[in-house]
Amino acid sequence: MSSLSKSDEGRPDADAVSGRWDGVDVNFGEEGGRLTYGSYLRLPQLLDQQRLESDPPAHDELLFITIHQVYELWFKQVLHEMTASRDAMLSGELWLAQHLLRRVHTIERTLTQQIDVLETMTPQDFGQFRHRLSPASGFQSVQFREIEFLSAAKDPAFVKRFRGLTDDERVRLEQRLAEPTLWDAFLVVLRTAGFGTDTDDDLREALQTVAADRGQYGAIWELAEALLQHDELAAAWRARHVVMVERMIGTKPGTGGSSGAGYLRSRLDLRYYPQLWELRTSL
């Protein structure tokens, strides 16, 4: 018998004999028996990854691990969207590139908001297990460095300074260093539109022309704004993060050996697209 309801009868794309829809096997409901919510999301494996190092177990260590694992999942999604946005720019699909960057913006706001959850942990509670983290450090987040490299802040020195990189992680970082960035793709967009980008003056003139004629260059302008928004939200996350670290550990050194909040403050002036910020002065 068909698993389709009577309301589906007579529709040209419903195959009442095989239970297929548009040529694809359809098995909604318990009779499908192929996947469950838990098996699709691999929940047994996922929920088994929060392994506490403290002994006796510190209550807030679960929160600390969960927050950072969630960060890494969002980083994975951000890289997925940014890579696709770059490729869309390179293929001339400006609407798609902008759409994917807007999704990145929403995720970046979520990343900043997650700090509120982490700050429900007091310095005393963090102190119960922080000593067990050394020499692990957020500095060692490979995906975060991939995001920076792909955005345009490439720095080969980071690869040399990483501790405990696996062969696969080193390959990923070296690939990000070698491949085009979002900014490289945007320059291709400008050149495709007939602008020069070889010199700083060429690029400045191109951006000013785009900004002055949004009727003709609206898609390029909106894409530039989407890149600037990404830059701004990344800067907002860095600023929020350093204040959180100061609230938690003051001026103590980081568990990975860095200067802690001091190092993070040294990164606050980082801008992925300084040319887009400088453009504001001439508008």
Side-chain angles (χ1 to χ4, degrees):
M1 293 182 63
S2 169
S3 62
L4 303 173
S5 67
K6 289 187 177 180
S7 62
D8 296 320
E9 292 177 0
R11 293 181 62 172
D13 50 2
D15 186 333
V17 176
S18 64
R20 293 169 65 82
W21 195 270
D22 285 340
V24 178
D25 288 331
V26 176
N27 290 281
F28 293 121
E30 296 295 333
E31 71 276 8
R34 297 186 176 184
L35 285 174
T36 66
Y37 177 80
S39 65
Y40 177 64
L41 298 178
R42 303 196 177 200
L43 291 183
Q45 298 91 329
L46 177 65
L47 299 179
D48 189 44
Q49 300 307 307
Q50 295 72 48
R51 306 291 184 88
L52 276 59
E53 292 289 335
S54 55
D55 185 20
H59 178 83
D60 279 7
E61 189 177 1
L62 177 61
L63 173 66
F64 186 83
I65 293 173
T66 300
I67 285 286
H68 287 84
Q69 287 183 345
V70 170
Y71 268 128
E72 291 296 330
L73 288 172
W74 280 129
F75 290 165
K76 181 176 183 177
Q77 189 68 38
V78 166
L79 284 167
H80 180 64
E81 306 300 350
M82 287 174 56
T83 302
S85 179
R86 178 204 59 194
D87 293 346
M89 279 190 267
L90 293 174
S91 63
E93 298 176 281
L94 305 193
W95 68 270
L96 178 58
Q98 183 189 346
H99 167 70
L100 296 174
L101 284 174
R102 284 200 301 267
R103 181 177 294 164
V104 170
H105 302 160
T106 303
I107 295 172
E108 288 173 324
R109 294 186 183 96
T110 299
L111 293 175
T112 301
Q113 291 168 353
Q114 283 184 184
I115 294 177
D116 291 338
V117 181
L118 192 57
E119 283 191 334
T120 64
M121 179 176 62
T122 67
Q124 299 94 314
D125 296 332
F126 186 33
Q128 291 181 3
F129 63 90
R130 181 175 182 261
H131 63 285
R132 302 298 297 267
L133 305 180
S134 182
S137 168
F139 179 88
Q140 298 164 343
S141 171
V142 172
Q143 290 195 119
F144 183 77
R145 295 305 170 194
E146 285 188 81
I147 289 171
E148 289 197 329
F149 292 176
L150 182 54
S151 294
K154 291 183 177 181
D155 188 347
F158 276 120
V159 181
K160 298 178 182 178
R161 288 154 57 190
F162 263 114
R163 296 180 182 177
L165 276 180
T166 66
D167 291 340
D168 176 68
E169 289 170 337
R170 188 173 299 278
V171 167
R172 280 164 44 198
L173 288 171
E174 290 175 348
Q175 180 177 338
R176 293 295 183 187
L177 286 171
E179 68 185 22
T181 67
L182 285 170
W183 183 248
D184 293 329
F186 181 68
L187 294 181
V188 170
V189 170
L190 288 175
R191 289 195 291 270
T192 301
F195 294 106
T197 61
D198 291 338
T199 68
D200 290 342
D201 287 341
D202 288 341
L203 181 56
R204 190 177 299 110
E205 181 179 351
L207 294 174
Q208 289 174 347
T209 301
V210 168
D213 191 354
R214 287 174 290 172
Q216 181 175 353
Y217 302 111
I220 299 178
W221 170 257
E222 291 301 328
L223 189 54
E225 287 291 274
L227 288 171
L228 191 79
Q229 183 75 71
H230 164 52
D231 202 349
E232 181 180 350
L233 290 168
W237 183 87
R238 287 191 293 270
R240 184 76 174 84
H241 182 227
V242 69
V243 172
M244 180 273 293
V245 169
E246 290 173 335
R247 175 173 174 170
M248 286 291 172
I249 65 170
T251 58
K252 294 187 184 79
T255 52
S258 75
S259 59
Y263 165 75
L264 295 175
R265 283 207 168 274
S266 73
R267 302 284 290 174
L268 291 182
D269 290 335
L270 173 65
R271 293 294 181 268
Y272 297 145
Y273 316 115
Q275 300 91 335
L276 295 181
W277 293 99
E278 292 166 4
L279 175 64
R280 268 63 194 160
T281 304
S282 63
L283 294 182

